[in-house]
Amino acid sequence: MNVISIQSQVAFGHVGNSAAVFPMQMHGIDVVAVPTTLLSNRPGYPTIRGRAVEAELLADLLLGIEERGAIDAAQMIVTGYLGSAANATVVADFVARAKARNSSLLYCCDPVIGDRDRGLFVHADIPPLVRDLLCPLADIVTPNHFEFEWLSGAKAATIDQLIKAARAFMARGTVVVTSAELADTPGGEIESVAIERANAWRVRTPKLPISPNGTGDLFAALLAAARVGGSSTPDALSHAASAIFAVLENTVARGTEEMRIVESAAQLVHPERTFECIAITL
C-alpha cells in the first residue's frame, strides 16, 4: 500500500506530514512524504523558523517522485497545508497529471485554510484555489465545519443543511466534515459526518477540553489509511474518529500542547474504544 502525502513539515511537534506520516506507516502504508513548508514548529509558539517551500522546488520534488514511479505505485494522494498560492497551483497540476496517468488513484484533499476560533489563517489567495482547483479533483475532501461552510458558501447549522450543501458542493465522491457542532449534536460531544450521493453517516465522540493543532491532519491520515486498507466509508470514519479520540485522551492525560501520537502508536491501529457510525436517514 502506497500513499503520496503532500503537506507541511515541522521539525518540532505534530502537524502536517509530521502528524500524518507515522500513523499511516503504522497501518502498513509506504508513505512518500513531500513538504510544502519546512518549519521549526507550528505557528503559536513565541518563535518560528523556516519558510514555505518555493513553488519551483516543490514542482521539482514532485517531478522527481514521479520519475521514481511513485504515481504508478500509489493508491492515494493526500494533500494538506500548502504554504502559498503558487504551491496550490503546482499541487493541482501534479494531482491532475497523476490521476490521468493512474486511473485507479484516489485523491484526498484536506483543505487546510482555517478554523472556528481563528477564521481563515492562510493568505487570502489560497482558499479560492483550494476550492476551485483542488476540490474538483478530489475523491474525498475532509474540511472542518468552518472550512466546509467557507468552501461551500452555505451555512450548515443542521444535519439537513449540511448534507444538502455537501451534495451541491461535490457532485461525486465523499465529503467528510470534521469537528461538526450541529443543532442536534448533544452537549459535550462533537461529531464528524460523511456524505456521499446516496448515503450519509455521522459519528460522535466526547468533546475533550483541548484543541491541539494538527488534529485535522491526523484525522485525514487515519481516514486515508483506512480507505487504502479497504475499509468502507462508514468503517473508515469510525476508525478515524476512534483513533484520534484515543490520541487526544492520551494528550489530555499528559497535559501537553502537542499530540501524543507516537506513544499512542498501538491505538492508532487498534483503538481501545470504538465509536460506531450511525446511518442518516432523511
Side-chain angles (χ1 to χ4, degrees):
M1 298 187 293
N2 295 272
V3 168
I4 300 170
S5 182
I6 308 168
Q7 47 189 314
S8 60
Q9 181 179 327
V10 294
F12 177 92
H14 298 291
V15 297
N17 270 334
S18 302
V21 172
F22 176 71
M24 288 192 282
Q25 289 172 331
M26 284 298 299
H27 286 78
I29 293 170
D30 190 1
V31 184
V32 178
V34 181
T36 57
T37 69
L38 291 170
L39 301 172
S40 57
N41 47 267
R42 61 169 172 82
Y45 285 100
T47 62
I48 187 169
R49 310 292 178 182
R51 60 182 182 272
V53 171
E54 293 80 4
E56 295 79 6
L57 175 56
L58 178 59
D60 210 32
L61 292 173
L62 292 170
L63 177 60
I65 66 167
E66 182 176 357
E67 291 170 340
R68 299 285 73 77
I71 290 174
D72 300 319
Q75 282 78 51
M76 186 175 291
I77 298 173
V78 176
T79 65
Y81 185 84
L82 300 167
S84 71
N87 282 353
T89 301
V90 168
V91 170
D93 288 345
F94 174 77
V95 172
R97 187 168 73 245
K99 286 176 72 71
R101 177 166 174 167
N102 180 351
S103 61
S104 65
L105 185 63
L106 297 176
Y107 170 40
C108 175
C109 175
D110 183 18
V112 183
I113 58 173
D115 59 33
R116 185 180 291 108
D117 296 331
R118 293 171 288 176
L120 292 175
F121 54 57
V122 298
H123 196 278
D125 56 358
I126 294 176
L129 296 176
V130 172
R131 179 191 62 206
D132 300 336
L133 295 183
L134 291 172
C135 289
L137 292 168
D139 302 283
I140 305 166
V141 293
T142 60
N144 61 40
H145 198 162
F146 169 85
E147 290 166 336
F148 174 74
E149 290 188 332
W150 192 95
L151 291 167
S152 66
K155 283 294 181 182
T158 68
I159 191 65
D160 291 7
Q161 291 171 342
L162 187 70
I163 292 172
K164 181 179 178 180
R167 288 175 175 161
F169 174 69
M170 195 166 175
R172 61 174 186 84
T174 308
V175 178
V176 180
V177 181
T178 64
S179 302
E181 294 184 68
L182 301 166
D184 63 341
T185 305
E189 295 189 350
I190 198 161
E191 60 186 318
S192 296
V193 183
I195 304 107
E196 297 177 347
R197 294 308 302 171
N199 300 288
W201 304 267
R202 66 199 309 178
V203 59
R204 294 169 175 163
T205 62
K207 189 175 182 180
L208 296 169
I210 57 169
S211 184
N213 290 75
T215 54
D217 309 325
L218 176 58
F219 185 96
L222 291 165
L223 185 81
R227 285 293 301 269
V228 168
S231 292
S232 64
T233 296
D235 287 346
L237 181 65
S238 171
H239 173 71
S242 302
I244 200 168
F245 180 81
V247 171
L248 294 180
E249 228 182 6
N250 289 338
T251 305
V252 170
R254 290 293 300 274
T256 59
E257 287 191 41
E258 298 290 342
M259 291 186 292
R260 311 311 299 176
I261 292 177
V262 175
E263 66 189 61
S264 305
Q267 292 200 69
L268 293 170
V269 184
H270 301 293
E272 292 178 2
R273 185 175 177 185
T274 299
F275 297 90
E276 298 293 343
C277 281
I278 301 168
I280 302 168
T281 304
L282 296 179

